[in-house]
Amino acid sequence: MKERTAALSRGLNARHIRFIALGSAIGTGLFYGSSESISQAGPSVLLAYLIGGAAVFMVLRALGEMAVDDPVPGSFGEYASRHLGRLPGFLTGWTYTFEMIIVCIADVTALAVYMGFWFPDVPRWIWVLATLFIIGAANLLSVKVFGELEFWFSIAKVAAIIAMILGGIALLVFGFTGDHEAGVSNLWSHGGFFPMGVEGFVLSFAVVMFAFGGTEIIGVSAGEAEEPHKTIPRAVNTVPVRVLLFHVLTLAVIMSIAPWQSIGSSGSPFVQIFEGIGLSSAAAVLNVVVITAALSAINSDIFGAGRMLYGMAQRGQAPQAMRRVSRNGVPWMTVVIMTAALLVGVVLNYAMPESVFAIIASIATFATVWVWLMIVLSQYRARRTMNADRAASLRFPAPLWPYGQIITITFLIFVFVVLAFSAETRIALYVGAVWLGLLSVLYLLRVRKNAEGYETAGEHGIEAHSEVPAR
């Protein structure tokens, strides 16, 4: 008996797609991880965010080109399988899922830290556990409910960031900054723009790139977009504005209000600054916002990983149980599995609450950059095989071909090298190498024949293995 509807529901409109993209880009990496990058590089971290943002924009344009041309479940996992080979596709899909699990653990860890602002005596793992149940339940509802939830989460974040920027500028203009000497000169008067030298600037990329992790969900959401040829380009093209407004301008205001050395890692720097200058009510409001941001990011990550696993199951690269969908077209089994996997975050926050964030953030950076590298390589390989007429017919071609892609690939490899420089981030390379090695062995021993069978079935038009999402 054929499984009841193996197709995802196309319930995400342009508004949902844009704000899902926003939700993935404005999360823990900015609201919490930025304190780590500031401590490493000082004000020069602003330049690191600009460079990293440019690279991410090129990655998303490469993904956008493929997603608009062929929006499929599994997104870049499917594209890697087609253009780089089955093994790279398998590695990409599972590494993205791994990335989402690790990023979610980072997000729930940060959320537990934020809750300490009001409840310092409550163990962090309790907040982590409560969050997983709430977000897991939300993702089991229809995709439209998910889209609406993410829309309002993102609205709150965007409004708060804009208000914080305007409020910060007002503090600078009117001089109400408590004991701190405020002014734009703080960006260069405390050891210069590069107070930690070139080394600190380079090392900051390990955390900076983590802040952009999850933006590739734009491609994953294409499989459930009502008009992907319109919604995907609009979402991708807002990335430069997001980088300038939400990352660079926001952190510039923070480091102008107070010297960069005064920003610690005991909470969100957004909250610390306003609490430090005596505006406790503003700090409390911002704490609500950063909690909302963390919930939004967790929500998006579970969504993205679930859809990736669904697409992989269709190709025979994941257990077939992950193709099961609810009446609303939600792959409920993947949501349940993702939520269960995130219980690891509960254990980590119980066992080592103080050091868990730095470790998982560096591991997430490895997984994120690996996925981005596969995306650009897939697009590069796909474009190289196209003739002139086929390339001219692309509705959303990536710019600066081919030099932009080559520079982006080089930069992403450079980020891997950066991870090796510090003992704190080097563990990410060890974990990443073991992860990719185990996946490769699993593929060769167990998955390859199964995946080849699914491809053959698809070529012969066997419906059970080649279903197309309802449009």
Side-chain angles (χ1 to χ4, degrees):
M1 179 173 157
K2 184 175 153 181
E3 201 174 348
R4 190 202 153 291
T5 181
L8 300 179
S9 169
R10 287 188 180 267
L12 298 178
N13 57 37
R15 174 171 58 90
H16 294 145
I17 298 291
R18 281 199 298 273
F19 282 91
I20 287 171
L22 272 177
S24 61
I26 309 172
T28 301
L30 173 62
F31 285 118
Y32 183 66
S34 56
S35 61
E36 182 71 22
S37 60
I38 289 172
S39 68
Q40 286 182 326
S44 66
V45 76
L46 301 177
L47 180 59
Y49 274 104
L50 281 174
I51 294 172
V56 172
F57 177 65
M58 290 301 297
V59 170
L60 295 183
R61 282 301 301 259
L63 177 57
E65 175 180 300
M66 297 183 288
V68 170
D69 193 52
D70 185 19
V72 295
S75 186
F76 40 84
E78 171 68 15
Y79 305 140
S81 292
R82 291 181 188 176
H83 304 301
L84 301 177
R86 297 188 192 97
L87 176 58
F90 178 76
L91 295 177
T92 300
W94 277 105
T95 301
Y96 174 72
T97 303
F98 178 64
E99 172 199 344
M100 292 297 97
I101 292 173
I102 297 298
V103 169
C104 273
I105 293 174
D107 289 330
V108 295
T109 298
L111 185 145
V113 172
Y114 302 153
M115 293 302 294
F117 180 80
W118 293 305
F119 307 100
D121 298 326
V122 177
R124 290 182 187 177
W125 67 268
I126 292 178
W127 301 116
V128 174
L129 189 61
T131 302
L132 293 186
F133 283 125
I134 294 170
I135 296 298
N139 271 266
L140 289 173
L141 302 174
S142 75
V143 70
K144 278 197 171 182
V145 173
F146 162 80
E148 284 298 322
L149 185 63
E150 193 56 34
F151 172 76
W152 290 109
F153 273 160
S154 297
I155 283 285
K157 289 190 291 188
V158 172
I161 288 178
I162 293 173
M164 200 230 62
I165 292 172
L166 295 176
I169 292 173
L171 290 176
L172 293 172
V173 171
F174 296 110
F176 180 63
T177 54
D179 297 329
H180 296 298
E181 237 183 81
V184 178
S185 60
N186 276 332
L187 297 178
W188 58 81
S189 60
H190 296 273
F193 189 69
F194 289 86
M196 306 301 288
V198 175
E199 181 182 355
F201 169 71
V202 170
L203 289 176
S204 72
F205 279 102
V207 181
V208 166
M209 300 313 289
F210 167 71
F212 294 116
T215 50
E216 65 276 8
I217 197 174
I218 293 174
V220 178
S221 62
E224 290 169 89
E226 292 173 348
E227 296 180 293
H229 64 285
K230 293 181 180 179
T231 55
I232 300 302
R234 291 172 186 167
V236 170
N237 285 333
T238 61
V239 170
V241 176
R242 294 205 306 268
V243 170
L244 289 172
L245 179 63
F246 301 132
H247 292 82
V248 178
L249 184 56
T250 304
L251 295 184
V253 168
I254 284 178
M255 287 186 286
S256 295
I257 292 175
W260 65 271
Q261 309 99 309
S262 65
I263 298 172
S265 59
S266 59
S268 170
F270 292 71
V271 178
Q272 288 180 46
I273 291 297
F274 284 89
E275 187 180 25
I277 63 176
L279 297 178
S280 56
S281 57
V285 171
L286 277 173
N287 204 52
V288 172
V289 172
V290 296
I291 288 171
T292 302
L295 288 171
S296 169
I298 297 164
N299 197 35
S300 293
D301 294 342
I302 290 178
F303 170 87
R307 271 54 179 183
M308 177 61 69
L309 287 173
Y310 172 86
M312 292 180 69
Q314 284 194 318
R315 300 192 301 275
Q317 295 180 344
Q320 287 305 290
M322 296 182 183
R323 296 180 69 211
R324 296 176 183 170
V325 297
S326 67
R327 292 182 179 179
N328 295 321
V330 173
W332 65 270
M333 181 59 76
T334 64
V335 173
V336 171
I337 291 172
M338 272 293 294
T339 305
L342 290 174
L343 291 174
V344 173
V346 179
V347 176
L348 290 176
N349 275 274
Y350 175 79
M352 46 188 216
E354 299 307 320
S355 57
V356 61
F357 184 83
I359 295 172
I360 59 182
S362 61
I363 296 173
T365 299
F366 174 90
T368 298
V369 175
W370 169 271
V371 169
W372 290 345
L373 183 61
M374 293 299 103
I375 288 171
V376 183
L377 287 173
S378 297
Q379 184 263 336
Y380 183 83
R381 183 70 180 274
R383 183 79 79 90
R384 293 279 292 183
T385 62
M386 294 180 187
N387 58 38
D389 291 338
R390 177 74 179 89
S393 69
L394 292 169
R395 288 183 286 183
F396 190 49
L400 304 178
W401 170 262
Y403 304 108
Q405 286 71 24
I406 294 172
I407 293 171
T408 303
I409 290 168
T410 303
F411 173 77
L412 294 175
I413 294 172
F414 158 77
V415 176
F416 283 127
V417 175
V418 169
L419 290 174
F421 285 168
S422 169
E424 208 172 59
T425 58
R426 200 174 299 132
I427 187 175
L429 294 179
Y430 300 144
V431 172
V434 170
W435 169 257
L436 294 176
L438 289 175
L439 282 180
S440 298
V441 171
L442 177 63
Y443 178 84
L444 294 173
L445 294 180
R446 298 289 302 273
V447 179
R448 181 171 56 181
K449 290 183 179 179
N450 191 31
E452 288 173 353
Y454 270 69
E455 185 172 282
T456 302
E459 289 172 355
H460 289 83
I462 298 176
E463 184 183 7
H465 302 320
S466 59
E467 289 152 285
V468 178
R471 293 183 181 274

